[in-house]
Amino acid sequence: MTEYTPHQKSLIDTYRDINTQHTEWWDCTYDDFKSDMSLTGIDVDKMMFSGFWSQGDGASFTGRITDVKLFMEHHKIADFQPTVMRLLSYGGNIDLTVEQTGSYSHYCHEYTVRVFNPHSDGFWYVLPTGDPLRTAVAEQWDKELNTELSALEEAATEIIRDDCRSLYRRLEEEYEYLTSDDAVWEAIQNNDLETEEDA
């Protein structure tokens, strides 16, 4: 750990926010997070956070789960929704969106978002019906599908909220690094803010 003179420490305290006050310091963290989420089938749209010392601080994001099969397999929940997986295997489409809820308009934490299923294909759409047996099968599977989609919304919401917590931790770590003594002192030197006394 670097030892600083009293004058250097005073300068560091004066310029503590030099790396965070005039720049969107979170951009790299956002980019990395968005890239990581895409590997699990999530397309992140908007990210927001507040931090890092108050109750209610946190981070969240909105977007879509664009690859539901990948998302479910990655998070090991596919076995709990076999009818959902059956629909996907038949080429059916399931929309899952990550949206802000209206009850937390002044906050950014993970409980301000949840996963919704605004639309999904039914088996009547992906199965060629025309005879009574196929129609009966499609109707039965659609009943099971509706139950599983509700469970999928809940499971996906918990997963997304964990991802929001991960985003917040990443942002907090980046902020702590950028405001650390070493990072601040490096910025002071790079911006020629030293005096002769500091040399």
Side-chain angles (χ1 to χ4, degrees):
M1 187 174 184
T2 306
E3 292 291 331
Y4 295 101
T5 67
H7 183 68
Q8 288 172 335
K9 288 180 179 178
S10 177
L11 271 178
I12 288 169
D13 288 338
T14 298
Y15 292 104
R16 180 66 65 188
D17 298 324
I18 191 171
N19 292 319
T20 58
Q21 63 182 350
H22 298 303
T23 181
E24 294 183 338
W25 56 267
W26 52 83
D27 278 351
C28 288
T29 304
Y30 273 10
D31 289 344
D32 289 345
F33 181 79
K34 191 170 185 176
S35 178
D36 289 345
M37 291 299 98
S38 70
L39 298 176
T40 69
I42 303 170
D43 181 21
V44 175
D45 178 24
K46 179 182 177 184
M47 287 170 271
M48 58 226 86
F49 75 95
S50 64
F52 293 96
W53 311 277
S54 302
Q55 184 176 3
D57 282 344
S60 59
F61 66 90
T62 58
R64 292 183 63 236
I65 300 174
T66 54
D67 191 331
V68 176
K69 184 174 184 289
L70 173 62
F71 176 83
M72 293 176 67
E73 290 175 344
H74 177 81
H75 292 288
K76 298 179 172 51
I77 60 173
D79 291 345
F80 299 101
Q81 280 93 19
T83 312
V84 168
M85 295 300 289
R86 183 184 296 130
L87 177 70
L88 295 172
S89 72
Y90 279 114
N93 181 60
I94 294 173
D95 290 333
L96 291 175
T97 61
V98 184
E99 301 176 17
Q100 282 188 295
T101 61
S103 55
Y104 290 101
S105 58
H106 301 296
Y107 296 98
C108 299
H109 57 73
E110 66 271 19
Y111 292 106
T112 63
V113 294
R114 66 169 292 112
V115 174
F116 293 94
N117 168 228
H119 169 77
S120 67
D121 293 333
F123 283 96
W124 58 268
Y125 181 79
V126 299
L127 287 178
T129 57
D131 63 76
L133 179 59
R134 288 191 181 204
T135 300
V137 168
E139 289 176 353
Q140 179 58 40
W141 283 354
D142 278 341
K143 288 179 183 177
E144 295 171 7
L145 178 65
N146 288 334
T147 300
E148 289 186 14
L149 285 173
S150 295
L152 178 57
E153 281 184 334
E154 295 301 318
T157 294
E158 290 307 309
I159 290 167
I160 292 299
R161 287 175 177 172
D162 280 342
D163 291 333
C164 291
R165 293 181 191 103
S166 173
L167 173 60
Y168 184 75
R169 284 192 298 271
R170 295 186 193 195
L171 289 163
E172 188 174 31
E173 288 170 4
E174 180 67 9
Y175 183 83
E176 288 177 352
Y177 164 73
L178 291 172
T179 57
S180 67
D181 287 355
D182 290 346
V184 172
W185 182 247
E186 182 179 351
I188 289 171
Q189 292 177 308
N190 290 340
N191 288 278
D192 297 320
L193 297 173
E194 298 174 86
T195 65
E196 292 183 2
E197 188 176 346
D198 304 314

